[in-house]
Amino acid sequence: MLKLADPPEPDFITTVEELDSLYDDPQDGAIRKQTDHIVGPGRAIIASSPFILFATASDNGVDCSPKGDAPGFVQVLDDRTILIPDRPGNNRLDGLRNIIANPKVGIIFIVPGVNITYRINGTAKISTAPDLLDRFLVRNKRPRSVIVVSVEEAYPHCPKAFVRSDLWASGSKPAPDGVPNSGTFVAYREGRDQAFAEEYEADYQSRLKDRLY
């Protein structure tokens, strides 16, 4: 019987030298745009952003969480410090646990309809200082905590990913058929049918309005 040869090993890159040989050197502007503080245009993006991606990592794992609220919900305390309210979520606290173990964080600020983003890398602490909590009152409710981020790197990010994905034009269209929602995931987890998924989703959307803050 003919025996097929073992499949070849994938061509993985395992050294920085191999990586550098594959890509061109970054342009001068891509290097010089990075600063150790928030610049004026960056401050404007933060003030206009209703949505961020917040990344953390530790020996316990890696986490990238969406956070959002009204535009400007992240406050600039000064050119090297930003404040992020931690609103109610699922209480897994993956990102916050990571911060305690490893304070390094990465943040991307996104503004709907705008292809450029603003990135901040730095170190974070979790605060429950009353004066900080009071800065973020919504519906007379405080966040449970405020994440205080000391800026180490800040820069605008290339818009090519948004251009390639045509994200904002795609987002103005109805959701594609077959895209799952929360009810779909719960039904799958519990081994339930589509009727259960639809009932759960309708109830969840109703409850969600009262649990944002």
Side-chain angles (χ1 to χ4, degrees):
M1 180 181 294
L2 179 64
K3 183 179 180 180
L4 296 177
D6 291 334
E9 287 291 323
D11 292 326
F12 291 120
I13 294 173
T14 58
T15 69
V16 174
E17 290 75 18
E18 291 175 324
L19 186 65
D20 288 341
S21 70
L22 184 63
Y23 290 89
D24 296 331
D25 292 334
Q27 296 181 357
D28 180 62
I31 301 297
R32 292 193 299 109
K33 70 180 180 180
Q34 180 178 316
T35 62
D36 63 357
H37 61 281
I38 300 168
V39 297
R43 185 183 283 258
I45 287 183
I46 293 171
S48 300
S49 174
F51 185 82
I52 66 172
L53 296 174
F54 187 83
T56 61
S58 73
D59 291 341
N60 298 321
V62 176
D63 185 69
C64 185
S65 297
K67 295 184 181 295
D69 210 328
F73 75 100
V74 175
Q75 295 183 15
V76 178
L77 186 63
D78 56 53
D79 287 347
R80 286 183 168 82
T81 312
I82 61 173
L83 307 174
I84 305 171
D86 192 63
R87 301 295 184 188
N90 56 22
N91 290 325
R92 283 179 56 109
L93 310 181
D94 297 315
L96 297 182
R97 294 179 192 276
N98 281 347
I99 288 172
I100 291 174
N102 171 20
K104 295 293 185 181
V105 300
I107 307 161
I108 296 181
F109 290 86
I110 298 172
V111 179
V114 178
N115 287 333
I116 196 169
T117 58
Y118 197 58
R119 295 184 62 164
I120 286 179
N121 298 323
T123 57
K125 295 180 180 179
I126 305 166
S127 176
T128 57
D131 60 323
L132 292 185
L133 298 178
D134 287 342
R135 295 174 69 111
F136 296 98
L137 282 172
V138 176
R139 300 180 187 174
N140 207 34
K141 294 182 179 180
R142 291 168 157 182
R144 287 289 182 89
S145 63
V146 173
I147 302 169
V148 182
V149 179
S150 297
V151 178
E152 296 176 352
E153 300 173 345
Y155 53 94
H157 200 282
C158 170
K160 289 179 182 176
F162 286 85
V163 174
R164 283 191 292 256
S165 65
D166 198 19
L167 182 66
W168 305 124
S170 299
S172 66
K173 303 172 184 176
D177 292 338
V179 175
N181 55 33
S182 297
T184 309
F185 278 100
V186 173
Y188 180 86
R189 183 187 69 206
E190 303 296 333
R192 305 294 294 271
D193 58 15
Q194 180 62 26
F196 173 87
E198 293 174 359
E199 182 180 352
Y200 181 95
E201 180 65 17
D203 179 65
Y204 178 74
Q205 290 298 327
S206 177
R207 290 185 285 114
L208 185 63
K209 299 173 184 178
D210 297 323
R211 298 185 178 183
L212 294 177
Y213 302 97

